[in-house]
């Protein structure tokens, strides 16, 4: 569409093209240009493509979507901040905590809107799950288990599975529960011959005695994206591939079966699969960011929240490297 906010896109990879599609459809936003250094790069929808960051900034942008390799986020983000351009930066915010801190300071000091593309926060199943947890439908939370596995994506070359994929689980776990990470114990392996890890297993302690387990890999021939939260009243299972949310309640019906009566734990109760509206998470993410740039109250993943996710991911890598339990600094949470 024409008119409204002037937006630009950096990067025409697989995710960049998804951003371009959504920007082209977004009410109140005009996609005016794309930056991609690849020779002959052609943007969809007839949008002009430039190969130089200065040319890109000269398009008089209100904001930019940064969907280039993680290693370039700091350099490009700092230049955008210097030019007064708001930015939605794909996750992870940066490859290190120090780089993340510099980006946070650059945008906050100028009063610019900055956000990180932690798209799972906008998954309908997790949005519904968070609301139900806040309403007390699970009671005390005991454990969060996430599984995120699938084949290796050839487009990822500059970071391993911890920064690329596990940051999803770190962010969503802290956000959906409202709890901070306390300590991390992790193990990684690299089986594909690449310099970075391609599998990680994490056991974490969180505030108020909550336990978290994350299994993430690029080594599975099947794709899985699940979040399971167990608590006093039962268990929620969110499948973020299908955006389905299911609740398994603890049983409340007495039994005359003596062998079962002697069991003092929980028993199976009703199972409910919730009917929830299923809007595209990427579209919702863009709508929230657009609203924030326009000065409206909006639920975005701030750069500071993105920095805290990088801080927890760094603790995961440190734990795996040293084979020890690593304490997470107070305040390191994505909630």
């Amino acid at each position: 569409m024409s008119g409204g906010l002037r937006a630009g896109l950096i990067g025409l990879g697989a995710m960049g093209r998804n951003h371009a599609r959504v920007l082209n459809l977004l009410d109140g936003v005009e996609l005016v240009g794309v930056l991609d250094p690849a020779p002959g790069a052609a943007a969809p929808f007839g949008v002009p493509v430039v190969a130089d960051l200065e040319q890109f900034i000269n398009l008089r942008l209100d904001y930019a979507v940064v969907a280039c390799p993680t290693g370039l986020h700091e350099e490009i983000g700092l230049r955008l901040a210097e030019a007064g351009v708001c930015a939605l930066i794909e996750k992870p915010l940066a490859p290190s905590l120090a780089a993340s801190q510099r980006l946070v300071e650059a945008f906050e000091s100028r009063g610019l809107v900055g956000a990180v593309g932690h798209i799972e926060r906008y998954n309908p199943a997790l949005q519904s799950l968070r609301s139900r947890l806040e309403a007390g439908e699970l009671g005390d939370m005991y454990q969060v288990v996430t599984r995120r596995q699938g084949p290796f994506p050839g487009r990822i070359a500059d970071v391993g599975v911890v920064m690329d994929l596990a940051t999803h689980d770190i962010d969503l776990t802290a956000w959906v529960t409202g709890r901070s990470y306390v300590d991390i114990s992790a193990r990684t392996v690299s089986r594909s011959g690449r310099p970075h890890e391609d599998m990680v297993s994490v056991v974490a302690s969180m505030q108020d005695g909550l336990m978290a387990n994350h299994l993430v890999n690029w080594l599975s021939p099947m794709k899985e994206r699940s979040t399971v939260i167990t608590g006093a009243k039962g268990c929620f299972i969110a499948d973020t591939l299908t955006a389905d949310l299911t609740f398994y309640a603890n049983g409340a019906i007495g039994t005359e079966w003596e062998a079962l009566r002697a069991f003092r734990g929980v028993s199976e109760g009703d199972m409910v699969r919730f009917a929830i509206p299923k809007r595209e998470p990427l579209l919702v993410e863009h709508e929230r960011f657009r609203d924030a740039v326009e000065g409206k109250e909006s639920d975005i993943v701030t750069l500071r929240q993105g920095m805290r996710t990088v801080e927890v991911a760094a603790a995961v890598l440190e734990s795996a490297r040293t084979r020890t339990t690593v304490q997470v600094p107070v305040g390191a949470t994505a909630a």
Side-chain angles (χ1 to χ4, degrees):
M1 63 163 293
S2 61
L5 296 172
R6 295 174 61 85
L9 170 66
I10 300 176
L12 277 176
M15 196 64 201
R17 291 190 175 274
N18 277 320
H19 281 296
R21 171 181 56 82
V22 172
L23 284 167
N24 189 60
L25 298 172
L26 195 60
D27 288 338
V29 172
E30 180 185 5
L31 177 59
V32 298
V34 174
L35 168 61
D36 194 295
F45 319 115
V47 177
V49 180
V50 299
D52 177 81
L53 185 55
E54 294 307 313
Q55 288 179 286
F56 182 75
I57 290 173
N58 288 337
L59 294 172
R60 297 182 293 109
L61 301 169
D62 294 300
Y63 72 87
V65 177
V66 181
C68 58
T70 303
L72 299 174
H73 286 186
E74 180 186 8
E75 176 187 351
I76 289 174
L78 293 179
R79 183 66 189 90
L80 291 172
E82 182 183 327
V85 178
C86 299
L88 170 60
I89 302 173
E90 261 303 335
K91 63 86 207 151
L93 174 56
S96 70
L97 178 57
S100 299
Q101 289 173 327
R102 288 189 287 269
L103 284 167
V104 169
E105 291 165 3
F107 280 83
E108 287 186 350
S109 65
R110 293 172 172 85
L112 295 169
V113 179
V116 185
H118 281 291
I119 193 171
E120 288 285 48
R121 289 207 195 184
Y122 306 103
N123 188 287
L126 293 177
Q127 290 265 328
S128 179
L129 173 56
R130 186 175 194 244
S131 297
R132 295 177 185 281
L133 292 176
E134 288 178 335
E137 293 184 22
L138 190 62
D140 290 340
M141 290 180 285
Y142 301 155
Q143 182 186 50
V144 181
V145 177
T146 69
R147 295 170 63 91
R148 185 175 301 270
Q149 51 191 349
F152 172 67
R155 61 189 174 82
I156 303 298
D158 59 340
V159 293
V161 76
V162 171
M163 281 294 179
D164 184 69
L165 276 192
T167 45
H168 277 304
D169 296 295
I170 292 166
D171 179 78
L172 75 85
T173 297
W175 171 75
V176 83
T177 64
R179 306 283 175 84
S180 298
Y181 284 84
V182 175
D183 59 53
I184 300 278
S185 181
R187 296 293 183 269
T188 61
V189 296
S190 180
R191 299 293 191 190
S192 59
R194 300 172 63 252
H196 301 291
E197 77 287 345
D198 46 32
M199 174 179 282
V200 63
S201 179
V202 179
V203 177
S205 298
M206 305 186 76
Q207 287 177 319
D208 302 325
L210 181 63
M211 175 191 296
N213 301 83
H214 306 307
L215 177 62
V216 189
N217 75 59
W218 278 327
L219 299 174
S220 173
M222 60 88 173
K223 198 169 184 179
E224 181 182 27
R225 303 283 187 268
S226 72
T227 300
V228 181
I229 303 186
T230 302
K233 298 180 181 180
C235 175
F236 278 109
I237 300 178
D239 184 331
T240 54
L241 282 177
T242 60
D244 288 327
L245 180 65
T246 306
F247 179 62
Y248 292 83
N250 290 341
I253 300 174
T255 178
E256 296 179 3
W257 189 355
E258 184 176 350
L260 289 183
R261 271 208 315 268
F263 177 61
R264 299 302 184 189
V266 300
S267 60
E268 293 181 4
D270 293 334
M271 185 272 281
V272 180
R273 180 173 174 273
F274 298 102
I276 52 180
K278 295 183 179 181
R279 301 188 67 222
E280 182 185 1
L282 188 62
L283 175 59
V284 177
E285 179 179 80
H286 273 275
E287 289 174 344
R288 301 283 174 85
F289 186 72
R290 173 203 61 198
D291 291 349
V293 174
E294 290 178 338
K296 300 174 183 175
E297 281 290 323
S298 186
D299 181 22
I300 62 173
V301 185
T302 67
L303 296 187
R304 187 165 290 276
Q305 291 169 349
M307 177 185 70
R308 290 171 178 167
T309 295
V310 171
E311 188 169 20
V312 176
V316 170
L317 290 170
E318 176 68 9
S319 173
R321 185 185 69 81
T322 61
R323 302 184 73 83
T324 62
T325 298
V326 174
Q327 299 295 311
V328 179
V330 175
T333 177

